[in-house]
Amino acid sequence: MRRIALIGLAAGFIAVSTAVAAPPFATRSDNGKTLRVPAAESSAGKVYYALSGKDRQIYFESDAPLEDIKGQSNQVVGYAVAGRGSDEASLIGGEWHLPVDSMRTGIKLRDEHLAGGDWLNAKSFPNIVFQIHEVRDVRSVKKTAAFRSYSATLVGEMTVHGVTSPIEISGATLTFLDASKATASVAPGDLLSIRASLSVTLSEFGISHPVIGNKVADEIAIDVSLFLSTVSP
Amino acid sequence: MTSRKRTMAYGVCGLAVVASLAAFAATGAKPYSRHEDEALSAMNEESGLGDLFSDAGDVSGADEAAIVPSVYAFGLLPSGPGIDSLSVATFSGPAVAAAAGLFLLGRRKKKQEKMPAAATQAAAEAG
């Protein structure tokens, strides 16, 4: 009887810890081109949606002694909720999903390995997820009639390979561009550009492989360049 | 094999090695062979969004030049099966192996030709 109770307790603990380890993620919209914005966030600020499928959004580089690997993707979907009025750079929230199998390194077999079970395991963990919870150290950099640019620290969580880790990205640039005749010819709505550089450590996210350290670096440098619009794709 | 044929064979092997090294150098001297990728080409096309922001005065992305090019390269090593297996190693490797084999065979034959001559000389000296 005691054994059954202990097993039940262990199972419950595992279930709870699994639920805590994987934060609830936003789901895709009906057309699959963006994410559903939680009602609490969308009502608190101005929603900008990532413009996917156009310019390169993510660029990553692994600089190891035996090999240099570069890759990129333009399939990031997601949103950012800007603050109201002059507090626009203090994002209320945001979430972006990068499909693992959308990353391209220029070599087909390498792309398959990257998404395979030995590495990012796209089958079990189809997306790399970044969620913003807070923006700190907001500083106005440049302001003209056409746009407002800020530097800030983005604070949130990153989930890679099923492992969630807190992350802080300093020196991010947020640039707001209001809709005009010039912008309408390229993309509808008010526009937002988010640029940031960060690095992630593969071992921190439970990714291990014998070649890490000689052919693949443990620390991967990432450049983020997102363009978002108030018009949902 | 006559020496003329052997020389011609060495020439063909040498040509294969030189041609593969020339292709390697001409296509960017990449470590692995690669081909154009449609998805990469699409990503590298400018949609005008970057220009909108830079035209407005945002230069935060102005020095952003890192992209993954979508190009063909005849690399030092193969990068996969099929057409991706064409590389300096897979093209000139067999040529170098063939040339080495011919050389070793040639030396063995010379050795065998020398041995009967040496045996005849030894018999003559003994007699």
Side-chain angles (χ1 to χ4, degrees), chain B residues 9 12-17 89-101:
Chain B
V12 169
C13 292
L15 206 64
V17 172
T90 52
F91 203 70
S92 60
V96 169

Side-chain angles (χ1 to χ4, degrees), chain A residues 25 72 112 123 131 135-137 149 176 189 192 227 232:
Chain A
F25 298 139
Q72 60 191 38
E112 288 170 12
K123 232 177 184 176
Q131 294 168 305
V135 174
R136 292 203 287 252
D137 309 324
S149 187
F176 295 84
L192 165 62
F227 294 110
S232 176

